[in-house]
C-alpha cells in the first residue's frame, strides 16, 4: 500500500504537494488552538491563520527550493512561537516538512547549516515568550526531538534514493558489460570459424587446382602420371570436404547427433600427408627437424600444423621454383618453425599480406607465440614463428603449481 502511494505521489508530484500544503496549513491552524494546563493560546488566532497560509505556500516550493522553503516556514513558525503559541507537533508541522525535504534533497553539510540554527531559533523564541518553567520540556526538548526526527527521516530518504540509484547504475553497467562480452565472444567465434574455413578450403583448393592443372598438362604425354595425380586429387577433395564438414559442425546446436567432429583435429602428426599433397601438386617440400621432439598441447599442435599448411599453400601458389623447405626446431620451452622458398616469391596484394598471413598471426598470438612473414633479402619468402610448447594459460597454471609445490 505504501509503495503504491509513493509511486502515485511521484507520478503526480504537483497534486501531492498541493494536498500536503493544504493539510499542513490546517494542522498549523489547529495546532495554534492547543492549550495545556500550564498555558493557553492567545485569544487572537488571525496571526496564526495568516502565518499558516504563508507556511503552506512555502511548503509548495520545498521540492524545487528546499532552503528558501525552510527559511520562510522557520521564520513564520518563530513568529508564532514568539507570540506564545504552544510549539506542538501540529504547529511545527510545516517546519518539520521543510526540514525533511531539505535533508532529503541536499547534502549533510547543507542540512546541518540550515537545520541546527532553525532548532536554536525556534527553541529560543518559544522559551522567551513563555513564563519561566511554563511547559519548558515541550518548548525545548520536544521541539528539538520533532525537528531532529524530520532531519533523520529526510537523511534516510536521501540515502535510500542514492542506494537505489547506485543499484540501478550497477545493473545497467552489468547489462552493458554482458552485451559487450556477448558481442565480443560472437566476434571471436566468427573470426575463429572464418580462420578454420580459410585454412581448410584455401589449402585444399589451391592444391586441387595445381593437381588438376598438372594432370591436364600430362594427360596426353604421360597418361599414367596424370592418372596418379587425379587419384591424389580425389584424396585432396575428400580431405577438403571432411575438414569443411568438421568446421561447419561447430555451428550446429549442442546435442545434434551429427554435430560431433568428423575427423581428429589435425596436428604435426599429419605433416607427411600435407607434404605428400603439396608434392602431388608440383611443390617439392623438404622437412628437417632439429632438437629433441617434444609433445605439444592440442592447441599448439593445431596452430603449428595450420601455419605450415598456410605457408605451403602460399608457396604452392607463388613460389617460382616450386620448392619449399620446412624446419622444425625444438627447444626446452618453444617450437621454432620456418617455411622458406628460394625462388622469387610474389606476395599477395592485400595490405598486411592477405587473410592467410593475418590468420597465421592470429593463431600464433592466440597461444602466446609470435610470427614474422615477408620476403627474404637473398630472395624468396619466409614464414617464421615461435610457439610455446604449452599455451600461455596452461604454462602459467603449471608454473603456479610448481611454485606451490616448492
Amino acid at each position: 500500500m505504501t509503495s503504491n502511494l509513493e509511486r502515485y505521489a511521484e507520478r503526480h508530484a504537483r497534486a501531492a504537494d498541493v494536498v500536503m500544503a493544504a493539510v499542513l496549513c490546517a494542522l498549523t491552524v489547529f495546532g495554534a488552538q492547543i492549550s495545556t494546563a500550564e498555558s493557553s493560546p492567545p485569544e487572537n488566532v488571525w496571526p496564526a491563520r495568516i502565518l499558516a497560509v504563508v507556511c503552506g505556500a512555502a511548503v509548495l516550493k520545498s521540492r524545487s527550493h528546499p532552503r528558501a522553503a525552510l527559511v520562510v516556514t522557520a521564520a513564520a513558525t518563530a513568529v508564532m512561537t514568539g507570540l506564545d503559541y504552544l510549539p506542538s507537533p501540529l504547529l511545527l508541522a510545516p517546519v518539520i516538512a521543510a526540514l525533511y525535504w531539505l535533508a532529503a534533497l541536499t547534502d549533510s553539510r547543507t542540512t546541518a547549516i540550515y537545520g541546527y540554527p532553525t532548532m536554536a531559533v525556534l527553541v529560543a523564541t518559544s522559551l522567551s515568550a513563555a513564563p519561566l518553567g511554563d511547559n519548558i520540556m515541550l518548548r525545548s526538548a520536544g521541539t528539538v526531538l520533532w525537528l531532529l526526527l524530520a532531519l533523520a527521516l529526510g537523511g534516510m530518504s536521501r540515502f535510500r534514493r542514492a542506494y537505489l540509484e547506485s543499484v540501478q547504475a550497477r545493473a545497467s553497467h552489468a547489462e552493458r558489460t554482458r552485451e559487450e562480452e556477448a558481442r565480443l565472444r560472437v566476434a571471436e567465434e566468427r573470426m575463429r570459424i572464418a580462420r578454420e574455413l580459410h585454412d581448410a578450403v584455401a589449402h585444399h583448393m589451391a592444391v586441387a587446382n595445381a593437381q588438376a592443372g598438372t594432370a591436364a598438362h600430362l594427360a596426353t604425354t604421360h597418361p599414367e602420371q596424370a592418372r596418379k595425380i587425379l587419384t591424389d586429387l580425389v584424396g585432396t577433395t575428400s580431405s577438403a570436404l571432411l575438414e569443411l564438414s568438421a568446421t561447419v559442425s561447430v555451428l550446429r546446436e549442442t546435442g545434434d547427433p551429427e554435430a560431433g567432429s568428423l575427423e581428429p583435429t589435425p596436428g604435426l602428426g599429419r605433416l607427411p600427408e600435407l607434404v605428400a599433397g603439396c608434392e602431388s601438386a608440383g611443390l617439392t617440400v623438404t622437412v628437417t627437424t632439429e632438437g629433441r621432439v617434444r609433445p605439444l598441447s592440442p592447441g599448439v599442435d593445431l596452430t603449428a600444423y595450420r601455419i605450415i599448411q598456410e605457408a605451403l599453400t602460399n608457396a604452392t601458389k607463388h613460389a617460382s621454383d616450386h620448392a619449399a623447405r620446412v624446419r622444425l626446431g625444438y627447444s626446452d620451452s618453444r617450437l621454432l618453425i620456418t617455411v622458406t622458398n628460394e625462388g622469387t616469391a610474389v606476395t599477395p596484394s592485400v595490405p598486411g599480406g592477405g587473410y592467410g598471413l593475418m590468420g597465421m598471426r592470429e593463431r600464433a598470438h592466440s597461444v602466446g607465440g609470435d610470427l614474422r612473414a615477408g620476403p627474404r633479402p637473398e630472395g624468396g619468402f619466409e614464414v617464421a614463428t615461435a610457439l610455446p610448447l604449452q599455451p600461455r594459460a596452461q604454462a602459467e597454471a603449471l608454473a603456479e603449481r610448481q611454485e606451490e609445490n616448492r
Side-chain angles (χ1 to χ4, degrees):
M1 181 66 178
T2 303
S3 61
N4 293 335
L5 290 176
E6 290 178 353
R7 287 196 293 269
Y8 180 83
E10 291 176 357
R11 290 195 301 267
H12 305 84
R14 187 63 181 174
D17 290 343
V18 171
V19 172
M20 181 180 66
V23 171
L24 292 176
C25 182
L27 291 177
T28 303
V29 172
F30 183 74
Q33 302 175 16
I34 294 178
S35 62
T36 65
E38 299 178 358
S39 64
S40 58
E43 295 181 358
N44 191 356
V45 297
W46 284 108
R49 292 176 180 176
I50 295 174
L51 292 172
V53 173
V54 172
C55 289
V59 169
L60 282 174
K61 298 295 183 179
S62 294
R63 292 180 188 267
S64 57
H65 301 83
R67 299 173 183 81
L70 176 62
V71 170
V72 173
T73 54
T77 305
V79 172
M80 286 188 284
T81 55
L83 294 175
D84 199 21
Y85 288 99
L86 189 67
S88 65
L90 298 181
L91 189 76
L92 297 174
V95 183
I96 292 174
L99 278 174
Y100 170 84
W101 285 114
L102 179 75
L105 299 177
T106 62
D107 54 78
S108 300
R109 184 173 179 273
T110 302
T111 301
I113 291 175
Y114 283 84
Y116 296 136
T118 298
M119 296 181 195
V121 169
L122 291 180
V123 171
T125 55
S126 180
L127 291 177
S128 64
L132 185 64
D134 184 10
N135 294 313
I136 188 171
M137 291 301 296
L138 178 62
R139 293 177 181 273
S140 58
T143 300
V144 171
L145 289 176
W146 282 109
L147 298 183
L148 282 176
L149 177 62
L151 292 178
L153 292 176
M156 290 174 57
S157 176
R158 182 178 73 250
F159 293 142
R160 177 173 177 269
R161 185 170 60 254
Y163 171 75
L164 293 177
E165 290 176 354
S166 66
V167 170
Q168 293 175 355
R170 287 197 300 269
S172 177
H173 175 71
E175 183 66 24
R176 289 195 303 271
T177 303
R178 282 196 298 270
E179 292 177 356
E180 291 173 359
E181 290 179 353
R183 286 195 295 268
L184 180 60
R185 286 195 297 269
V186 170
E188 290 177 348
E189 184 64 13
R190 290 179 62 182
M191 290 181 64
R192 187 184 71 83
I193 293 173
R195 200 162 51 231
E196 292 290 341
L197 287 173
H198 177 273
D199 291 342
V201 175
H203 169 73
H204 290 295
M205 292 300 101
V207 173
N209 180 68
Q211 288 173 331
T214 304
H217 178 71
L218 299 175
T220 56
T221 58
H222 299 81
E224 291 299 327
Q225 189 175 354
R227 187 178 299 109
K228 181 181 181 302
I229 293 175
L230 290 175
T231 302
D232 294 337
L233 176 60
V234 174
T236 301
T237 54
S238 298
S239 297
L241 290 174
L242 285 173
E243 286 203 32
L244 183 61
S245 299
T247 303
V248 173
S249 67
V250 301
L251 298 174
R252 295 176 177 164
E253 295 182 1
T254 303
D256 190 334
E258 299 181 3
S261 180
L262 299 180
E263 63 172 6
T265 302
L268 292 182
R270 292 181 54 183
L271 187 56
E273 299 178 23
L274 178 62
V275 170
C278 292
E279 289 181 342
S280 68
L283 180 70
T284 302
V285 182
T286 303
V287 180
T288 58
T289 303
E290 300 176 1
R292 183 169 62 88
V293 177
R294 297 176 179 272
L296 304 175
S297 69
V300 174
D301 199 18
L302 173 62
T303 298
Y305 177 85
R306 291 303 192 193
I307 289 175
I308 295 174
Q309 181 187 54
E310 180 61 27
L312 292 179
T313 301
N314 290 337
T316 301
K317 293 187 292 184
H318 303 296
S320 60
D321 62 346
H322 302 291
R325 184 171 60 193
V326 179
R327 185 175 69 87
L328 305 176
Y330 289 87
S331 64
D332 292 336
S333 61
R334 302 182 78 81
L335 169 63
L336 305 177
I337 302 174
T338 58
V339 181
T340 60
N341 65 276
E342 303 295 340
T344 302
V346 181
T347 58
S349 59
V350 180
Y355 293 113
L357 297 183
M358 184 189 307
M360 286 193 289
R361 292 192 184 95
E362 291 173 353
R363 284 189 180 277
H365 294 163
S366 68
V367 296
D370 51 42
L371 183 137
R372 177 182 57 81
R376 306 171 65 205
E378 62 272 23
F381 197 83
E382 179 180 81
V383 175
T385 182
L387 305 176
L389 298 182
Q390 299 289 332
R392 183 166 42 201
Q394 294 183 11
E396 292 176 355
L398 179 60
E400 291 178 359
R401 287 197 298 269
Q402 292 175 349
E403 187 66 24
E404 292 174 357
N405 293 335
R406 293 177 184 173

